[in-house]
Amino acid sequence: MKIKLITAVLLAVTLNCTASAGKNGFRYQDNTLHHTTRAYLEEAIKKSLSHSPEITTASADKDAAHYDIEQVKGQRWPQVQLGTTAPVASFGGGNHTGQRHLNDSNLAINVSTTIFDWGKNHESIQSATQSANASMYQYDYTKQQIAYNTVLELIDLSRYKQSQNITQQYVERMRELVNMLVKITQIDAGRYSELVQARARLLAAEATMQRVTEQLRQSEIKLSRLTGTTVTLPENIDWRMDFISSSLVISRLTEHPELLRAKAEANAAEHQSAAIKASSLPQINWVISKNTAKDSYGNDEQWYTGLNIQWNVFSGGSEKAMIQAASARAVASKSQSAQTRMDMEYQINNLIQSRDSAQTQTREYKKLSRETGAVSKIYYEQWLHLGKRTLLDVLTAENDRYNNQIAAVATEHDVYSANVKLIATAGMIFEWLPVNTR
């Protein structure tokens, strides 16, 4: 009678466990990005771009850089200066100048036009233009980074959500085993040690569930910061996508905003160095001036026009130091541009290898999870009906199955993350997802 009752309880639990394990199975398919997923990603990216303070900052820097060009260009035009003097009284010895009272106020005008400056203004304009180009590329790069971060975080959210579902099934399985053993020990107290083992595995599963839930919550917080809203991942989201080739990514590097920005900054530094060198040479200006002040005889001063030469012959070595510093910055900017290119090429090769390796591991883990699933079922039946397996064997098989399922989810999402990173490295985020960013 005891054996029949135990068998009936175990069979009922087995049927429930088998039914629940078949729900929400993890599938891998190899098609392109689904249109509903694409539409969801486009909407999320639009929210991130409109909410991002980084975009606002980059846009303001871009506008300021263009105003800097106008400021430098304005120095090519005649510079007009007005001044006035309002005497209150004159005192002391010497000849008076005819300006002793407030009524003797005068107005002075000075017009200065640069005739020859060894290319200083031209180089300054070119430097400001290249700096403006750099700020424009930085603006484009910031937009692409915001879009990339949003997509990457959504992939992580999907990873944690699937992990949470699998972990929840694992917790339920452990809980069912514990409940089953509680009923068994009420009939057969000699199997209490098995109940202790099952409870230990249940506690471990619940702790894992808490960790996965915290990862999911942190991902939701990051997405809320990116988009400015609470993000809910659709149940039918599908991350399958075409793989971008390494040759395409390498060919697009020359158009990447980060590299273009580095080159523009290097060019700006070179032009700035040339402008500083030119400023150390004599500058020839055409000057026109007039002062309404009267001389000691009460006569008005005449208009004056002529050439003016300015040359800082000695400045204590400061000009030489400025030239050397500007030249060093230009060399550093060029070196940084080359280093950025090398780093990106290394990153591309590393991502290609990681993506392909993760894809292989995903297939292996999926096969392994199916095999360990079959093993756990066989072990369970052998423990239940034949007594050929211990409960520890069953619990170990269940744990192996769970770990392989989690590893399959992790490696598959690693494939998606690496591919999206490659798309971003190629500067093709807005081609892959044609989002209107204007």
Side-chain angles (χ1 to χ4, degrees), residues 84-90 98-107:
T84 184
T85 302
V88 176
S90 62
Q99 300 180 62
R100 292 181 291 182
H101 306 290
L102 190 60
N103 293 334
D104 295 327
S105 299
N106 64 83
L107 179 67

mmCIF file of all heavy atoms in Angstrom, residues 84-90 98-107:
data_model
loop_
_atom_site.group_PDB
_atom_site.id
_atom_site.type_symbol
_atom_site.label_atom_id
_atom_site.label_comp_id
_atom_site.label_asym_id
_atom_site.label_seq_id
_atom_site.Cartn_x
_atom_site.Cartn_y
_atom_site.Cartn_z
ATOM 1 N N THR A 84 36.280 108.080 -26.861
ATOM 2 C CA THR A 84 36.002 109.465 -26.489
ATOM 3 C C THR A 84 36.731 109.806 -25.203
ATOM 4 O O THR A 84 37.016 108.929 -24.381
ATOM 5 C CB THR A 84 34.485 109.689 -26.305
ATOM 6 O OG1 THR A 84 34.238 111.081 -26.024
ATOM 7 C CG2 THR A 84 33.932 108.847 -25.183
ATOM 8 N N THR A 85 37.060 111.121 -25.060
ATOM 9 C CA THR A 85 37.719 111.627 -23.860
ATOM 10 C C THR A 85 36.928 112.816 -23.339
ATOM 11 O O THR A 85 36.549 113.707 -24.110
ATOM 12 C CB THR A 85 39.157 112.067 -24.166
ATOM 13 O OG1 THR A 85 39.875 110.960 -24.714
ATOM 14 C CG2 THR A 85 39.860 112.541 -22.903
ATOM 15 N N ALA A 86 36.672 112.811 -22.042
ATOM 16 C CA ALA A 86 35.916 113.901 -21.421
ATOM 17 C C ALA A 86 36.760 114.504 -20.301
ATOM 18 O O ALA A 86 36.739 114.040 -19.157
ATOM 19 C CB ALA A 86 34.582 113.391 -20.879
ATOM 20 N N PRO A 87 37.576 115.586 -20.568
ATOM 21 C CA PRO A 87 38.420 116.200 -19.537
ATOM 22 C C PRO A 87 37.583 116.948 -18.507
ATOM 23 O O PRO A 87 36.556 117.545 -18.840
ATOM 24 C CB PRO A 87 39.321 117.144 -20.331
ATOM 25 C CG PRO A 87 38.531 117.474 -21.547
ATOM 26 C CD PRO A 87 37.730 116.261 -21.881
ATOM 27 N N VAL A 88 38.026 116.903 -17.306
ATOM 28 C CA VAL A 88 37.348 117.634 -16.223
ATOM 29 C C VAL A 88 38.091 118.926 -15.895
ATOM 30 O O VAL A 88 37.494 119.985 -15.735
ATOM 31 C CB VAL A 88 37.245 116.741 -14.967
ATOM 32 C CG1 VAL A 88 36.624 117.523 -13.815
ATOM 33 C CG2 VAL A 88 36.440 115.495 -15.270
ATOM 34 N N ALA A 89 39.428 118.858 -15.868
ATOM 35 C CA ALA A 89 40.225 120.055 -15.569
ATOM 36 C C ALA A 89 41.661 119.781 -15.956
ATOM 37 O O ALA A 89 42.065 118.634 -16.137
ATOM 38 C CB ALA A 89 40.128 120.418 -14.089
ATOM 39 N N SER A 90 42.455 120.834 -16.101
ATOM 40 C CA SER A 90 43.891 120.686 -16.348
ATOM 41 C C SER A 90 44.646 121.471 -15.282
ATOM 42 O O SER A 90 44.173 122.499 -14.813
ATOM 43 C CB SER A 90 44.252 121.206 -17.751
ATOM 44 O OG SER A 90 43.956 122.577 -17.864
ATOM 45 N N GLY A 98 44.298 122.804 -24.894
ATOM 46 C CA GLY A 98 42.965 123.234 -25.335
ATOM 47 C C GLY A 98 41.863 122.343 -24.824
ATOM 48 O O GLY A 98 40.717 122.501 -25.233
ATOM 49 N N GLN A 99 42.192 121.374 -23.936
ATOM 50 C CA GLN A 99 41.184 120.476 -23.369
ATOM 51 C C GLN A 99 41.288 120.563 -21.850
ATOM 52 O O GLN A 99 42.060 119.860 -21.238
ATOM 53 C CB GLN A 99 41.433 119.027 -23.827
ATOM 54 C CG GLN A 99 41.389 118.851 -25.336
ATOM 55 C CD GLN A 99 41.641 117.408 -25.715
ATOM 56 O OE1 GLN A 99 40.885 116.532 -25.344
ATOM 57 N NE2 GLN A 99 42.715 117.176 -26.453
ATOM 58 N N ARG A 100 40.488 121.499 -21.332
ATOM 59 C CA ARG A 100 40.580 121.720 -19.889
ATOM 60 C C ARG A 100 39.237 121.563 -19.191
ATOM 61 O O ARG A 100 39.184 121.481 -17.974
ATOM 62 C CB ARG A 100 41.125 123.128 -19.622
ATOM 63 C CG ARG A 100 42.574 123.292 -20.033
ATOM 64 C CD ARG A 100 43.086 124.680 -19.742
ATOM 65 N NE ARG A 100 42.452 125.667 -20.636
ATOM 66 C CZ ARG A 100 42.739 126.968 -20.620
ATOM 67 N NH1 ARG A 100 43.607 127.435 -19.743
ATOM 68 N NH2 ARG A 100 42.151 127.796 -21.464
ATOM 69 N N HIS A 101 38.160 121.518 -19.946
ATOM 70 C CA HIS A 101 36.830 121.455 -19.348
ATOM 71 C C HIS A 101 36.023 120.318 -19.976
ATOM 72 O O HIS A 101 36.364 119.780 -21.032
ATOM 73 C CB HIS A 101 36.115 122.795 -19.527
ATOM 74 C CG HIS A 101 36.899 123.962 -19.009
ATOM 75 N ND1 HIS A 101 37.121 124.179 -17.669
ATOM 76 C CD2 HIS A 101 37.542 124.955 -19.686
ATOM 77 C CE1 HIS A 101 37.846 125.269 -17.514
ATOM 78 N NE2 HIS A 101 38.131 125.761 -18.730
ATOM 79 N N LEU A 102 34.902 119.988 -19.310
ATOM 80 C CA LEU A 102 34.036 118.912 -19.781
ATOM 81 C C LEU A 102 33.516 119.194 -21.173
ATOM 82 O O LEU A 102 33.311 118.281 -21.978
ATOM 83 C CB LEU A 102 32.865 118.706 -18.793
ATOM 84 C CG LEU A 102 31.999 117.459 -19.005
ATOM 85 C CD1 LEU A 102 32.839 116.190 -18.895
ATOM 86 C CD2 LEU A 102 30.844 117.434 -18.014
ATOM 87 N N ASN A 103 33.308 120.471 -21.499
ATOM 88 C CA ASN A 103 32.801 120.826 -22.831
ATOM 89 C C ASN A 103 33.809 120.556 -23.942
ATOM 90 O O ASN A 103 33.470 120.596 -25.126
ATOM 91 C CB ASN A 103 32.397 122.293 -22.871
ATOM 92 C CG ASN A 103 31.189 122.571 -21.990
ATOM 93 O OD1 ASN A 103 30.390 121.672 -21.745
ATOM 94 N ND2 ASN A 103 31.064 123.799 -21.496
ATOM 95 N N ASP A 104 35.078 120.302 -23.550
ATOM 96 C CA ASP A 104 36.128 120.044 -24.534
ATOM 97 C C ASP A 104 36.247 118.557 -24.879
ATOM 98 O O ASP A 104 37.287 118.104 -25.347
ATOM 99 C CB ASP A 104 37.470 120.537 -24.007
ATOM 100 C CG ASP A 104 37.488 122.049 -23.832
ATOM 101 O OD1 ASP A 104 36.817 122.718 -24.619
ATOM 102 O OD2 ASP A 104 38.176 122.498 -22.895
ATOM 103 N N SER A 105 35.182 117.773 -24.641
ATOM 104 C CA SER A 105 35.211 116.332 -24.960
ATOM 105 C C SER A 105 35.494 116.133 -26.436
ATOM 106 O O SER A 105 35.100 116.936 -27.286
ATOM 107 C CB SER A 105 33.868 115.681 -24.600
ATOM 108 O OG SER A 105 33.609 115.806 -23.223
ATOM 109 N N ASN A 106 36.177 115.011 -26.735
ATOM 110 C CA ASN A 106 36.525 114.734 -28.132
ATOM 111 C C ASN A 106 36.231 113.278 -28.468
ATOM 112 O O ASN A 106 36.084 112.418 -27.591
ATOM 113 C CB ASN A 106 37.997 115.046 -28.395
ATOM 114 C CG ASN A 106 38.920 114.151 -27.595
ATOM 115 O OD1 ASN A 106 39.208 113.031 -27.991
ATOM 116 N ND2 ASN A 106 39.373 114.649 -26.428
ATOM 117 N N LEU A 107 36.164 113.018 -29.757
ATOM 118 C CA LEU A 107 35.871 111.694 -30.272
ATOM 119 C C LEU A 107 37.034 111.245 -31.149
ATOM 120 O O LEU A 107 37.547 112.024 -31.951
ATOM 121 C CB LEU A 107 34.573 111.713 -31.095
ATOM 122 C CG LEU A 107 34.154 110.380 -31.719
ATOM 123 C CD1 LEU A 107 33.766 109.375 -30.637
ATOM 124 C CD2 LEU A 107 32.977 110.608 -32.683
#
